[in-house]
Amino acid sequence: MINGQYRYSFNPKKPLDFKKIRNIVLFSLLGLVLLIGIFTSFYTVDDKQQAVVTTFGKVTDITDPGLHFKAPFGIQQAHKVDVNVYQKIELGYVTDTNGKTATVEDESSMITGDYNIVNVDFFVEYKISDPVQYLFSANDPALILKNLIQSQVRNVVGSSTVDAVLTDGKENIQQQVRELVSEILSDYDVGLTLIDVRIQDAEPPTSAVVEAFKAVETAKQNAEAVVNDAKAYQNAKLPEAQAQADKLLQNAQYLKQKRINEAMEAVAMFNAMYEEYSQNPNITKSRMYYEAISQILPGVKVYINTGDSNSMNMLLPLESIVGGN
């Protein structure tokens, strides 16, 4: 102690304890390695992901969302893949971070089956269906899908007319592209599933042609309006016509039944007259003759000559025979 203070002095003659220093360094390294091992032995998978676990580069497990353990120091690796997320491909245009779009003419410009040039933009949705195939079957599965869609889009548009591409054939074109791409994609087996293919926009390359097609579309809409009006008129008038037809049919049925009844009545009268005639032919003939005379000469008095020249009552009035007044 000097002046009430302790002072330490280094003695250069005292040798360093290298063993102690080595032990300190070793324990420090072991602690660091242990900490690294602990922190690299756990991984978390969120609810939109699956993780493909590889051991020395070989796939050994696929884990679902949650906290999981793996061997540290690169022995095992967890490759996280977004399997429950719809991903998109823009074909013919690109959208920036501000939401503005720009045309990619190399992708959008196409030739139709009737040799017209159109600009068609497609919006594609897909998802990862097999994370193992997605990670290890190809370098860039999304690029493969994009090239495949572009190829099939040009194929379908190239076999369609310009009217179909720009107006009423879009749904059919989308359906054909979906079917073709899905079939080929299953053969490629890159771990992707096509969800939807939609035509985002379709237009001819010049403003004059655009206006012409707008006029065509307006004419089609007007034609549809006229057809709808005609159908409405038909629906309004058809019940009236049906009611009139039912009325005429009922009247015809009534007249038919009336004629049948009259004919049956006439037949009954004829049969009765014939029966009377068969019993007394001469009397029946005379009566029929007298009735015919009274119908032919209404209001005229007719007398019958009895043929008795000596009798004063040679003439008999017809009314007394036929029952007239």
Side-chain angles (χ1 to χ4, degrees), residues 33 86 108 135 158 181 194-195 199 210 218 268 270 297 301:
V33 170
Y86 283 0
S108 65
L135 289 172
V181 173
L194 182 65
I195 303 299
I199 295 179
V210 170
T218 301
F270 178 82
L297 301 172
K301 291 184 177 298

Side-chain angles (χ1 to χ4, degrees), residues 219-243:
K220 289 183 177 180
Q221 294 176 357
N222 292 337
E224 291 178 357
V226 172
V227 171
N228 292 333
D229 291 341
K231 288 182 178 179
Y233 179 80
Q234 177 189 11
N235 294 334
K237 292 298 182 181
L238 190 60
E240 297 179 6
Q242 188 64 42

Side-chain angles (χ1 to χ4, degrees), residues 248-266:
L248 292 175
L249 183 60
Q250 292 175 1
N251 188 44
Q253 293 289 348
Y254 168 76
L255 294 176
K256 171 185 175 182
Q257 191 62 41
K258 182 180 178 182
R259 294 291 177 86
I260 292 175
N261 293 338
E262 291 176 351
M264 293 177 65
E265 183 180 356

